[in-house]
Amino acid sequence: MRMLLLLLLFILASPLTRAESIFLDPEDHFLDASEWLLKHRGFLPVPIIITEPAVGYGGGLALVFMSENEDAPASRNRFIAPTVTGVMGAATENGTWFGGAFYLRNWDQDRWRYLGFVMAASANLDFYGLSGFGADNELHFGYNLNGWGVFNDLRARVNDSNFFLGGRYIYTALNVDFDGSILPPALQPQDLENRNGGISLLVSYDNRNNTLSPESGLYLEYRYYIFDEALGGDLDYHVQAVDFQGFARASELWGFAARLQTKWVGDEAPFYAKPYISLRGIPKLRYQGEIATSVEAEVRYKPHPRWETSIFGGAGRAADSGNDLKDAETASAYGAGFRYLIARLLGFQMGVDIAKGPEEWVFYIQAGGAWGF
C-alpha cells in the first residue's frame, strides 16, 4: 500500500495555483490531498520512488484510481480504507524492474477485506548465505530472480469484533541465475527454477484507528502457509509467521509504536523464501536463515496536527533453527524520520526515514506507516 500511494509526491510538486483550489484544506488551510484523492475521476499518474538498498535507487509510474468506500460516510465506529485500483511499473539503477496490477477493497462495513495483485519482475540481488551471521563477511553471490506471480488475500471480520479469519493464495513461477553460473555451496539445483503454489490460513486482531497511518491500537496476525504440488507448485514446505504491531498516544504531543515479527520455514523452502531480518536500515534479504525475528520501537513527537517527527531503533536475529536463534549474533539499526498529514480525511501521512544498519545509511520515502499492514 505504501508504494501504491506514492502519488502524494506528485501533489507536493504541483503548482501553487492548483493547490489554491483543490489542494488546500478548508478546515486549516494547509496543503491537503483528500479531495483530490477521493473526488478525482479517472486514473491518476503516480510517480514511484524506490530507495531500497537491496536493489538501488529507482523509480517508475503507476496509474491509480482511488475512491471513497461507499460504507465510509455511514461508519461512525471504525476507519474504512478507500478502494484502490491500478497498474504500475518501475526499474532501479542495478537493472531490477517490475510491473503489475492491483486491487484493494473493503466492503459490508469493513466486514470483508480483499487485496490482490498480479506481477512480473526481474530482480538483481545478493545472496549472503543461509546461516544468519555465519556469512557476516564480504563474500556474497550476485543473482537474478525473475518470473511472475499472483497474490490474493481475503479475510472476514468475526461478528462485530476486531478479529478476522481469512486466507491467501500465492502462486509464483521463478527462475534464478547466479553470476558466472557459480552456485553457492548452500544451495541445490532445485533452488534455481521452480513454481510455488500455496495457501495460507490466517487469524488476526486489528483495532487500529487507521490502517494507513495508525496512531493507536493493536495489530496481531498469525499466518500458516502450505506450499504443495497439489496447489500448483513443485515444492512441498510450510511457512509460519507472526506479526505484532502496537500504537499508543501518551498525549497530543507524544506517541509510541513497536513491532515484533517472527517467521520460520520448513527445510524444502527455496532460498529466496527464507525469512530475513526486516528493519529500517538493513537491506532486504541481507540476513537470512530458517528462522528470523526482529523487534523495532519508535518514539513520536507531534508539535502540530500536520507534522510529526520520530526516532526509532531495532534489532534482529537470523539462524538455522530456533535453538540456534538464542545464540545468534544480533543486527541492530536506528534512525529518525518525519511525517506530514497529507490527506486529513484519510488520516494518511507521508514523509522520510533515514536509518543506519550494520553496513550503511539508508534513505526511505514513506507513504503511510513504515510497517505495512
Side-chain angles (χ1 to χ4, degrees), residues 84 101 108 173 203 231 261 263 268-269 273 345 369 372:
V84 183
D108 192 16
V203 56
L231 298 171
Q261 55 179 332
K263 187 175 182 181
E268 293 188 23
L345 296 181

Side-chain angles (χ1 to χ4, degrees), residues 114-117 150-154 167-170:
Y114 173 77
L115 170 64
F117 61 82
V150 296
F151 174 95
N152 289 280
D153 182 303
L154 177 65
R168 292 176 175 177
Y169 177 74
I170 301 171

Side-chain angles (χ1 to χ4, degrees), residues 264-293:
W264 59 102
V265 299
D267 292 336
E268 293 188 23
F271 76 94
Y272 50 79
K274 303 285 186 177
Y276 56 87
I277 296 174
S278 179
L279 292 170
R280 283 171 285 182
I282 297 180
K284 304 296 185 186
L285 303 172
R286 175 60 179 88
Y287 299 107
Q288 286 183 274
E290 301 292 328
I291 181 171
T293 186

